[in-house]
Amino acid sequence: MIVSTSALLDFLLQTRTQTETICKPLQIEDYVVQPIVDVSPPKWHLGHTTWFFEDFILKKYKSDYKEFDKQFAFVFNSYYESMGARVVRTDRGNLSRPTVEEVYAYRKYVTSALENLLQENDISKELEELIEIGIHHEKQHQELLLTDIKYILGNNPLQPVYSSNFNEYKTISKDAEWLSIKEGIYEIGHNDSGFCYDNELGRHKIFLQEFQISSELVTNAEYLQFIEDGGYDQVLLWHSEGWDWVKNNTISAPQYWQKQDGKWFCYHLNGVQKLDLEAPVTHISYYEAFAYAQWKGLRLPTEFEWEIAQSKFDWGQRWEWTESAYLPYPNYTKAPGALGEYNGKFMVSQKTLRGGSVATSENHTRATYRNFFHPQLRWQFTGLRLAR
Amino acid sequence: MIVSTSALLDFLLQTRTQTETICKPLQIEDYVVQPIVDVSPPKWHLGHTTWFFEDFILKKYKSDYKEFDKQFAFVFNSYYESMGARVVRTDRGNLSRPTVEEVYAYRKYVTSALENLLQENDISKELEELIEIGIHHEKQHQELLLTDIKYILGNNPLQPVYSSNFNEYKTISKDAEWLSIKEGIYEIGHNDSGFCYDNELGRHKIFLQEFQISSELVTNAEYLQFIEDGGYDQVLLWHSEGWDWVKNNTISAPQYWQKQDGKWFCYHLNGVQKLDLEAPVTHISYYEAFAYAQWKGLRLPTEFEWEIAQSKFDWGQRWEWTESAYLPYPNYTKAPGALGEYNGKFMVSQKTLRGGSVATSENHTRATYRNFFHPQLRWQFTGLRLAR
Amino acid sequence: MIVSTSALLDFLLQTRTQTETICKPLQIEDYVVQPIVDVSPPKWHLGHTTWFFEDFILKKYKSDYKEFDKQFAFVFNSYYESMGARVVRTDRGNLSRPTVEEVYAYRKYVTSALENLLQENDISKELEELIEIGIHHEKQHQELLLTDIKYILGNNPLQPVYSSNFNEYKTISKDAEWLSIKEGIYEIGHNDSGFCYDNELGRHKIFLQEFQISSELVTNAEYLQFIEDGGYDQVLLWHSEGWDWVKNNTISAPQYWQKQDGKWFCYHLNGVQKLDLEAPVTHISYYEAFAYAQWKGLRLPTEFEWEIAQSKFDWGQRWEWTESAYLPYPNYTKAPGALGEYNGKFMVSQKTLRGGSVATSENHTRATYRNFFHPQLRWQFTGLRLAR
Amino acid sequence: MIVSTSALLDFLLQTRTQTETICKPLQIEDYVVQPIVDVSPPKWHLGHTTWFFEDFILKKYKSDYKEFDKQFAFVFNSYYESMGARVVRTDRGNLSRPTVEEVYAYRKYVTSALENLLQENDISKELEELIEIGIHHEKQHQELLLTDIKYILGNNPLQPVYSSNFNEYKTISKDAEWLSIKEGIYEIGHNDSGFCYDNELGRHKIFLQEFQISSELVTNAEYLQFIEDGGYDQVLLWHSEGWDWVKNNTISAPQYWQKQDGKWFCYHLNGVQKLDLEAPVTHISYYEAFAYAQWKGLRLPTEFEWEIAQSKFDWGQRWEWTESAYLPYPNYTKAPGALGEYNGKFMVSQKTLRGGSVATSENHTRATYRNFFHPQLRWQFTGLRLAR
């Protein structure tokens, strides 16, 4: 909960600036392309987070607001189908216009209008909450921006550096320990006055069996053993659809790993580096995380186990795949109207991830935060923690 | 648990006969086709259930056993990838040979060999369990046989009758009531000495919030209101991928419904009939079940709620979609080797269904039985019960 | 031109019988499947050739004719789009009904009605011509029947024999000679009073440069040299789309060739045999024929060269790919109405083949006959004759 | 034939400059995208025409030449498969790097090196010919550049103007007349000392029947009558695969036509304009050209008829679809090695177009020039002239 309008304004302006700071190292060309359907052009992220404020806030709450460009709603809308026709996701990379310069002008125009709106009197509770959602929405896109940029540059044959200062990980030099949690009734869900998404609400009791969870993420060294033991060729380690995914896409290592003259290298935002064995493994799909756990004779934690145990270990380097499917909590209700499309409409066929990553914006994640992706995706900084 | 070898033999022979009884009304041509990837040709079901006994039992436990035809292992294998090369599923409908007559000869040969095996002394516990699995495996395929036959005949432009005696439903003439369950700790999972699959094992405690569940399945009359209210055109009722499914496949009613001169008809195994408003709605996808519940302002039960509440209502006409994803129970472990592929490898991206259906073989389902399908599938006798 | 009604009736009855004779060795199951889109189920050929007579002749010229089954027009129509809705080609293999027995009853009923029609007085010229087209249409399908049956059986893992008496080729034991044709003006197109298709009509002059054409078809021995010289791996021998076809389908030999323990075998209608080096190579695509000619430093003849030279060599074992595209002759005009769909609508993107094959019905081909297929197809008995 | 080295150099420099002049109106973003597989990013055209000179000329004929960047050969190669790995066509639009600035630097570097090479003594005949091919290759890409730019901008929802000075057509205000050509022997193919491609060579005799050809291209007014008469809904006017194309892509007008409030508009390089009825119709596929001719009871000319008649009418506004397939002339031989891939490898499944278009570079086309595209393509300035 934001204590004052001026604090809210500061938070807003910091967030808007931060998005642009992330894009600083880019060439104009980098803003435009969409190499796979899950990656959006950086230009689109810049426009979409702006459109969100314009459409949900300025057009409704600022009486004198004049829309920047009517067609932008069409271009920068995403999955909010009830808001009008949208640019189909796979078409985003075909659009050279509006230009990057025009998109920045759009950002400036909307940020300014928001600033004016917040400097007026009488900010209602409802409006304050919408602005807060807009800020957190933009923070979510900051993470996507970074991972989409990594995909765009890392899959270019020239493999250009994004920023030589960007460090993707801290090494794991300690041995992992098993942390034990007793069986019993626990409470799950958001519990304080800070911001959270609707999918974290409805704090409720669950029963957990006794379990143990690792104090550390799985490392590159450990994952390499799985590869060298032929893990990608042992059908019994995999889900049926995971096996099809491995075979159809000839997967044999995490994304961004590359072998040159018998040695493993890895593309990072600071360029191609020798594979660091003490780094936490990343850019793996749920299928790979599961197969690795099978190979070890262990398993992934559920999201509930993770939430209850999380205070006992460090987290935040990698989004951690859980065994849980992304489903509504008991008594979950979608917000009415278009905002209700935010989370609920994705609650099928996806897995929950917990934690956060090196690309997550500051203060954006928390112990109850639920991220979710389809099981084959690996362009995020995903990782893996074992349980038993 | 089977009490004696002769009881086991009876059970086996009844099951083998029942499979063939289901196929009695078919023409030879009906055994061969595969109109969609999820439907298998009846000939394949006959062969596959036989191959299962040959490959897992006869070749290992009957010392003098001579394989019927080496190539059949290739033709009738299914997803048991660790057993050798398999006929890709979409190719099953391209195979005119072996002929139906040859497949029946194969069945007879294998049934006979099993009979001999069971009449010998010293049936080990291990062998008894394998035979039991083989029997239940065949019972599962009996249900698929019936639903695949319905698809094959019901999608033929001539819409031939399977059997005029086959009644697909009992009408629901009572009003539904809300049955209440108190919050508390409950136990989930198989609990007696009878047969069950590995995915039901590991009985364990869970905590449930207080909830209410309907005493009746949703009827055609109720579902028709959803259609007439434009349910298939209201994006906010649907999951994102459900909406794509509706639009890409131009879905506007349950499978087998057809409108003629403004009136609704429905294909059943006993032919095309006027839509019976008091019948439980069936052949709907999870997406449709979910959208219907959204439209009512209600929800689907979880599989745990269903299992705890099920003794309070009648069930068994329709497989009931639940909100639960199909996931392993705590401490679930796959059986070693190829049999371990049976259930565990499907525990991702599918929804759990509970109950049973008019096509389920006698004594094949139970309160703890977990069926599972991808959310878009609807060629099974699926249905829907509301919760709140 | 048929000299009398009774001769026409004889020709009709012989043709109808011959179609059924071709199907004699089949099992009922063989009639039903459609392993690839270009192959039709034998059952469909039986019905389609019958529907042609019913729809174009009986329903128009036999006043008391009662349609056998209204729905058959829907099931057995092919590409005659102006005649009404058709069963999409890829769906033909999904239809178990009507049964084979019903299709034979349909044939008998229609043949009988045609017999009655022809025994009446006053057969008009127009009707006579339509019946003649119906007969030749059925003869065309006889060839397709045989090649489709070969595909259905030859791609079954059991590779069953169609008929041990069916001999697919005469060996080529003579050395090929170059036959020379002088430059000059020649005439192309049908020229006598016998039957021909509309695409052969409009006899017209063309100018040919001097050329030479081989007296013999290319043999398996010669084609094997191309394979052993790495012909399938030399990009410069191939058309761009031919190369894509080779790579996408991992083609490395003609269809039905199979290597076992380092030796080449070949599936024929009389079963799997050791590859006969003196047989004319067959089941090759146009792309392969072209690449072979490139490799030899030679070329394929045009269809005009072939027609002018054909009296100097033996032909009729293989349909011979030409370099010509299948295009209308000058002054070609489509017949009015649905019959006009017969040939003209295919005059784009296909190559012309000349000659005939071991599967061609007696008296069905002639020096001016133009067959046509897409360049990647090879399930027909295609072959290759060189020119320069 | 170029008379002197300095004239060759002038021609080269003019051509290099002209390519860059075409790109002047673009924003950097416009250089990057590839909305469909047939359209290449302008950046790629700039690089590819440069790579051609570097790879075929500088690396072989300039002893001290230092490659600009080894990886560019990978990025800017096109279909020259024998030259090494290439960027798959559909991936071109995913590459943000090299940047536009780097590509221009590459152009400058290579142009300079060519300038140095040409200022040295002893330019061999062979080298001169290669440079001439390089120039004409770049001129061909100039046309593609313009039509690709039109596609990129015209399919953007903002429909930006390329250049308000670019006029796409001259109106056709005269009535069309039939021009008659007598039957007889004519000569086809290139016949003077100027440059031509290998596919125009081998001048040879052909025989033509008497025919008539229209003095004018078909206009928008005429094509509109076809539309209003339901031409897109009459199956009998279309080739079978043309009909599938129309239905699968819901085609109902030429590309870039758009209806607003019942009135037709059209996107041009100078922006969206009211449809000009006196403009020659353009952006139609071969299928549409053929169906239009069928509807008129007329036909398209062959490429031979066109070449013989062309001196009697004005041409050059539109590439004109012919009825001819793109095939080798008698005695056509591919150049040895990679340059031989230039034309011959496309001589299957394409139609020949004759003439030239408003986007064709000055002096680039001629009476014997053979352009070729697949029958469904229409992003070029295609058009239609009738014959009978």
Side-chain angles (χ1 to χ4, degrees), chain C residues 54-189:
Chain C
E54 184 179 59
D55 216 85
F56 287 100
I57 294 171
L58 293 174
K59 285 164 74 175
K60 293 196 183 58
Y61 293 89
K62 194 160 191 307
S63 52
D64 62 341
Y65 183 71
K66 199 170 153 295
E67 202 172 355
F68 183 77
D69 186 317
K70 271 190 200 322
Q71 298 202 270
F72 280 26
F74 178 70
V75 171
F76 291 126
N77 194 342
S78 65
Y79 46 75
Y80 302 93
E81 298 231 18
S82 55
M83 298 299 292
R86 58 169 176 167
V87 173
V88 177
R89 208 177 207 203
T90 39
D91 277 338
R92 288 179 193 164
N94 297 339
L95 301 184
S96 62
R97 311 290 179 94
T99 63
V100 172
E101 196 180 330
E102 287 162 344
V103 174
Y104 275 114
Y106 177 41
R107 286 186 69 83
K108 198 170 168 186
Y109 179 89
V110 164
T111 303
S112 240
L114 287 166
E115 214 170 337
N116 292 341
L117 179 67
L118 281 173
Q119 282 158 355
E120 290 165 14
N121 294 325
D122 294 330
I123 300 302
S124 69
K125 181 77 191 147
E126 182 188 84
L127 174 54
E128 188 189 308
E129 278 175 15
L130 273 174
I131 290 171
E132 224 181 331
I133 288 179
I135 291 169
H136 287 280
H137 173 252
E138 183 147 345
K139 279 174 166 289
Q140 253 184 314
H141 278 275
Q142 287 169 0
E143 176 155 12
L144 293 170
L145 249 177
L146 261 174
T147 49
D148 290 0
I149 289 167
K150 182 170 180 184
Y151 195 96
I152 288 166
L153 300 180
N155 285 279
N156 187 296
L158 309 181
Q159 297 192 82
V161 169
Y162 163 70
S163 160
S164 54
N165 299 322
F166 196 100
N167 188 1
E168 288 187 0
Y169 60 88
K170 284 176 288 190
T171 56
I172 298 174
S173 45
K174 286 179 292 180
D175 284 345
E177 290 167 45
W178 286 114
L179 309 170
S180 294
I181 304 287
K182 289 266 175 281
E183 78 159 23
I185 292 178
Y186 293 92
E187 295 217 343
I188 290 292

Side-chain angles (χ1 to χ4, degrees), chain D residues 3 16 24 29 42 51 77 104 115-116 166 193 200 203 210 217 221 230 248 253 289 292 305 317 344:
Chain D
V3 285
R16 299 287 288 168
K24 272 274 162 56
E29 293 86 343
W51 163 84
N77 195 342
Y104 275 114
E115 214 171 337
N116 291 340
F166 196 102
S193 61
E200 303 165 54
R203 187 164 170 93
E210 186 173 2
L217 293 168
N248 293 340
Y292 176 84
E305 291 171 338
Q317 284 216 68

Side-chain angles (χ1 to χ4, degrees), chain D residues 158-363:
Chain D
L158 309 181
Q159 296 191 86
V161 169
Y162 164 69
S163 160
S164 54
N165 298 322
F166 196 102
N167 188 0
E168 288 187 0
Y169 60 88
K170 282 176 288 190
T171 56
I172 297 173
S173 45
K174 286 181 291 179
D175 284 345
E177 289 168 44
W178 286 113
L179 309 170
S180 294
I181 304 286
K182 290 266 175 281
E183 78 159 22
I185 293 179
Y186 293 93
E187 295 216 341
I188 290 292
H190 194 69
N191 196 27
D192 64 42
S193 61
F195 175 84
C196 76
Y197 284 112
D198 59 357
N199 61 6
E200 303 165 54
L201 288 175
R203 187 164 170 93
H204 63 283
K205 291 182 194 146
I206 57 149
F207 185 90
L208 292 182
Q209 330 294 315
E210 186 173 2
F211 70 97
Q212 292 184 300
I213 192 165
S214 175
S215 62
E216 305 293 339
L217 293 168
V218 168
T219 64
N220 283 341
E222 292 169 310
Y223 199 84
L224 198 52
Q225 290 184 317
F226 167 73
I227 295 177
E228 288 171 352
D229 191 44
Y232 283 97
D233 295 316
Q234 296 177 40
V235 63
L236 291 179
L237 298 177
W238 297 82
H239 285 106
S240 178
E241 66 176 52
W243 184 247
D244 290 346
W245 173 80
V246 164
K247 292 304 151 198
N248 293 340
N249 299 282
T250 53
I251 304 289
S252 58
Q255 194 156 13
Y256 300 117
W257 286 34
Q258 45 199 266
K259 218 173 192 169
Q260 290 166 20
D261 304 324
K263 293 219 172 65
W264 283 107
F265 290 79
C266 195
Y267 176 79
H268 296 285
L269 285 164
N270 61 357
V272 175
Q273 315 286 346
K274 226 180 132 221
L275 183 75
D276 186 337
L277 294 175
E278 293 189 342
V281 69
T282 190
H283 296 300
I284 55 171
S285 68
Y286 164 76
Y287 299 133
E288 289 166 296
F290 175 87
Y292 176 84
Q294 284 284 111
W295 174 76
K296 291 290 278 189
L298 299 166
R299 64 176 178 83
L300 304 180
T302 66
E303 65 169 317
F304 311 110
E305 291 171 338
W306 192 96
E307 185 170 324
I308 296 311
Q310 56 79 31
S311 63
K312 296 177 179 274
F313 53 78
D314 282 340
W315 54 266
Q317 284 216 68
R318 300 286 178 256
W319 284 106
E320 307 181 22
W321 287 109
T322 72
E323 186 52 42
S324 300
Y326 178 52
L327 293 175
Y329 284 169
N331 304 317
Y332 171 76
T333 38
K334 291 206 297 189
L339 268 180
E341 294 192 55
Y342 203 86
N343 277 309
K345 72 188 292 185
F346 296 116
M347 288 177 175
V348 65
S349 306
Q350 309 211 36
K351 301 298 281 187
T352 309
L353 299 98
R354 289 302 192 96
S357 92
V358 67
T360 310
S361 287
E362 213 179 340
N363 300 323

